Amino acid sequence: MSSHVALARQQWEEGNRRLESLRDPDPSLYRALLELADVVTGELRGRIGQTFTMDELTAEYERAEDWSREAIDESEPPVAWPRHLATVVDAAFHEYARGATDYEP
């Protein structure tokens, strides 16, 4: 695994941990952010498709801040969502990575 993929995976795992840490103390925020992660996942599916490699996913991650912000904005998000953008994007990429043709746990 290349170093840029390894670094991206660390960021995705951390974002997923941040999201999951909200499950019990703030279930309404957790559900709202999970819905936003689904928005990002849907946009990601349209951008790279169902068949992709970890390198391709990592390359898309480098461009994700702009397009994910736009996609979320269009989804009628909760008021305070921008401060959670990194968590939402990282969690979405963490989940989507499992579908990569060269994914290794």
Side-chain angles (χ1 to χ4, degrees):
M1 177 183 336
S2 69
S3 62
H4 73 282
V5 170
L7 179 59
R9 285 190 70 175
Q10 287 175 352
Q11 291 171 324
W12 302 342
E13 289 168 7
E14 179 57 34
N16 191 62
R17 277 193 293 276
R18 286 191 310 269
L19 178 61
E20 288 301 318
S21 74
L22 296 169
R23 183 187 295 258
D24 291 329
D26 196 342
S28 61
L29 178 59
Y30 172 77
R31 284 189 304 276
L33 295 182
L34 203 56
E35 287 177 17
L36 296 181
D38 287 345
V39 169
V40 173
T41 299
E43 183 70 18
L44 189 53
R45 189 175 298 112
R47 288 175 173 275
I48 67 170
Q50 299 283 354
T51 305
F52 58 92
T53 65
M54 291 298 289
D55 279 330
E56 291 170 320
L57 187 61
T58 301
E60 192 59 42
Y61 180 66
E62 293 171 5
R63 299 183 288 271
E65 186 173 342
D66 291 334
W67 63 255
S68 62
R69 181 179 299 276
E70 193 173 301
I72 290 171
D73 254 347
E74 293 172 3
S75 74
E76 300 180 26
V79 174
W81 77 267
R83 68 179 181 182
H84 299 286
L85 179 64
T87 297
V88 167
V89 169
D90 289 347
F93 272 80
H94 173 76
E95 187 65 31
Y96 205 74
R98 295 177 185 176
T101 57
D102 56 348
Y103 177 79
E104 294 179 14

